[in-house]
Amino acid sequence: MGLYTSPHYRDFRERIKINGEMIGEQEVMDFVHSHYNNIENLGPSFFEMTFAMAMEHFRKSNVDIVVWETGMGGRLDSTNIVHPEVSVITNISLDHTQFLGHTVEEIAREKAGIIKDYVPVVIGEKQNEAESVFKFFVEKHKAQLYFASESISLEKPEISTDGLSTYYQDELLGEGTLALPLMAEYQLHNLKTALQVFKVLKNSGYKITWSSIENGLKNLSANTGFKGRFQVLGKAPLILADSGHNIGAVSQVMDQIKHFDVRKRHFVIGMVNDKEISKVLEFMPKDAAYYFAKADIPRGLPAESLKRIAEETGLSGEAYSSVKEALNAAKKSATQEDLIFIGGSTFTVAEVV
């Protein structure tokens, strides 16, 4: 199975995998060398060139199925040339607003651009502001629409630092306990979406067994290299890293963190300068100790600037010259009964995972 995702954390090759294995370094170099003239003449974007590299890698490897993650939006995305078995849109949050639009409806319209004629569509969460947009495009393309948040029901999960488990039963797929090596409650939304996709594919003729679902979920991290989302980096103190950086993602992370039974919370935060920073920071707890840092990229917001914006939202802490220095300071201050959270952007988390 091929997997195409973005962004990467540490290694560019994380974006292109087959059965959990990254594309080889030599294959990356061979692609650039063999297509150098086209790259120079056409001037594709970094994402477009990476997508073409993935297409060639998967073709040469004769993969039977590929999961393609779109880039920023969908409608104008290079991945939109793919004619899929099923189109999936998880949820809509205000992100990349300078490119996609300033309202949920506008962003939903860009995301809905991946909907194709007669291809089933699975929407992860039903949102009032986006529902009419999706229904319009589905009707236009004569596609079948499923809202996973309504069609899939899961029992209250059991959660530990090793992951979460929940019970599910379905006439088509089967029944039993499903375990994920991820402890974030928001992953239940993604699990519902995946289960609805499995149902669509099975109805289309794919041979999907209950045991394959169980094993796939249990080995999700190993099979996909999944990391950086509510990832446990230590347990005494509890150290968590999550790369969620828009309002929707951060609000869900904070909802879970506020219920943790810890003595004190320490937040190592770094953000990029093209986000709605104040609105995101408003979801973070006022009683935590903050360690502000600049991620090691040009777009990283200077730590002093982030500290100033944070103070305007009622958060207090100190600025540090790097994510590593900020994390070390948090570790020195924390006891074994505390929580250290690292987040604010993918680039901040990339420096610690």
Side-chain angles (χ1 to χ4, degrees):
M1 185 196 83
L3 178 63
Y4 178 74
T5 59
S6 63
H8 61 273
Y9 285 97
R10 288 179 174 267
D11 190 326
F12 162 79
R13 298 179 302 132
E14 294 170 25
R15 295 169 177 251
I16 305 170
K17 298 188 183 84
I18 296 178
N19 296 333
E21 294 292 325
M22 296 187 295
I23 185 173
E25 292 182 357
Q26 188 61 50
E27 290 173 274
V28 172
M29 292 186 288
D30 288 345
F31 175 86
V32 174
H33 178 75
S34 61
H35 296 281
Y36 184 81
N37 289 335
N38 285 332
I39 293 170
E40 283 288 295
N41 294 332
L42 297 175
S45 68
F46 172 80
F47 187 89
E48 289 168 339
M49 184 183 71
T50 306
F51 171 66
M53 184 185 299
M55 291 278 281
E56 182 167 297
H57 180 57
F58 296 149
R59 178 185 61 82
K60 287 182 176 179
S61 302
N62 294 316
V63 297
D64 51 1
I65 194 166
V66 177
V67 176
W68 296 100
E69 181 184 19
T70 65
M72 200 178 300
R75 181 177 67 92
L76 300 177
D77 199 276
S78 55
T79 60
N80 207 18
I81 67 170
V82 173
H83 191 85
E85 295 290 311
V86 55
S87 299
V88 183
I89 301 171
T90 52
N91 68 337
I92 304 297
S93 187
L94 296 178
D95 198 7
H96 302 295
T97 52
Q98 69 272 42
F99 302 109
L100 303 181
H102 295 277
T103 67
V104 169
E105 293 93 332
E106 290 175 343
I107 296 174
R109 186 170 292 275
E110 292 297 317
K111 301 284 187 180
I114 68 171
I115 296 174
K116 305 289 193 300
D117 290 349
Y118 307 107
V119 175
V121 180
V122 174
I123 308 295
E125 297 179 51
K126 192 173 185 179
Q127 298 166 270
N128 291 334
E129 306 96 318
E131 182 180 357
S132 61
V133 175
F134 293 138
K135 286 184 174 179
F136 170 81
F137 278 92
V138 164
E139 184 176 344
K140 176 182 177 182
H141 291 282
K142 299 179 175 58
Q144 184 68 44
L145 175 65
Y146 304 89
F147 287 102
S149 57
E150 292 192 336
S151 60
I152 303 295
S153 179
L154 298 173
E155 289 192 358
K156 184 176 176 61
E158 293 185 9
I159 300 175
S160 72
T161 53
D162 295 320
L164 62 83
S165 62
T166 182
Y167 183 81
Y168 175 69
Q169 59 179 344
D170 179 80
E171 290 184 1
L172 182 65
L173 297 180
E175 66 176 294
T177 298
L178 296 174
L180 282 169
L182 313 169
M183 68 174 295
E185 284 189 67
Y186 63 72
Q187 295 295 352
L188 291 176
H189 300 298
N190 294 328
L191 177 56
K192 287 183 178 182
T193 304
L195 289 169
Q196 182 58 66
V197 170
F198 296 154
K199 292 182 69 171
V200 169
L201 292 176
K202 190 160 186 175
N203 277 325
S204 298
Y206 282 83
K207 295 180 180 179
I208 298 175
T209 64
W210 180 258
S211 62
S212 66
I213 294 173
E214 279 185 310
N215 291 330
L217 294 174
K218 183 173 64 176
N219 297 298
L220 183 147
S221 297
N223 290 341
T224 67
F226 189 91
K227 59 185 174 182
R229 297 308 307 265
F230 227 77
Q231 184 175 351
V232 178
L233 302 179
K235 294 186 178 181
L238 178 60
I239 304 176
L240 295 173
D242 193 283
S243 58
H245 51 265
N246 57 44
I247 293 172
V250 172
S251 63
Q252 292 185 76
V253 171
M254 295 305 123
D255 280 345
Q256 186 169 355
I257 282 181
K258 70 183 180 183
H259 293 113
F260 284 6
D261 183 18
V262 295
R263 187 189 71 89
K264 187 174 182 180
R265 295 169 177 82
H266 305 260
F267 275 50
V268 176
I269 301 296
M271 303 184 75
V272 294
N273 56 21
D274 59 355
K275 301 295 179 185
E276 296 184 301
I277 295 168
S278 295
K279 292 182 179 179
V280 171
L281 291 174
E282 285 174 1
F283 287 93
M284 297 187 181
K286 302 290 190 292
D287 60 350
Y290 284 85
Y291 308 76
F292 302 108
K294 177 185 179 296
D296 190 20
I297 60 165
R299 289 167 53 209
L301 185 69
E304 289 291 348
S305 299
L306 180 56
K307 177 185 175 183
R308 185 173 62 254
I309 297 170
E311 288 174 344
E312 294 172 357
T313 64
L315 310 181
S316 60
E318 298 299 326
Y320 296 86
S321 60
S322 68
V323 174
K324 182 179 180 180
E325 184 183 348
L327 178 56
N328 286 337
K331 288 180 177 178
K332 287 180 181 179
S333 299
T335 69
Q336 291 189 351
E337 293 76 35
D338 290 358
L339 163 73
I340 298 175
F341 174 79
I342 306 137
S345 82
T346 301
F347 308 102
T348 301
V349 172
E351 296 187 37
V352 300
V353 296

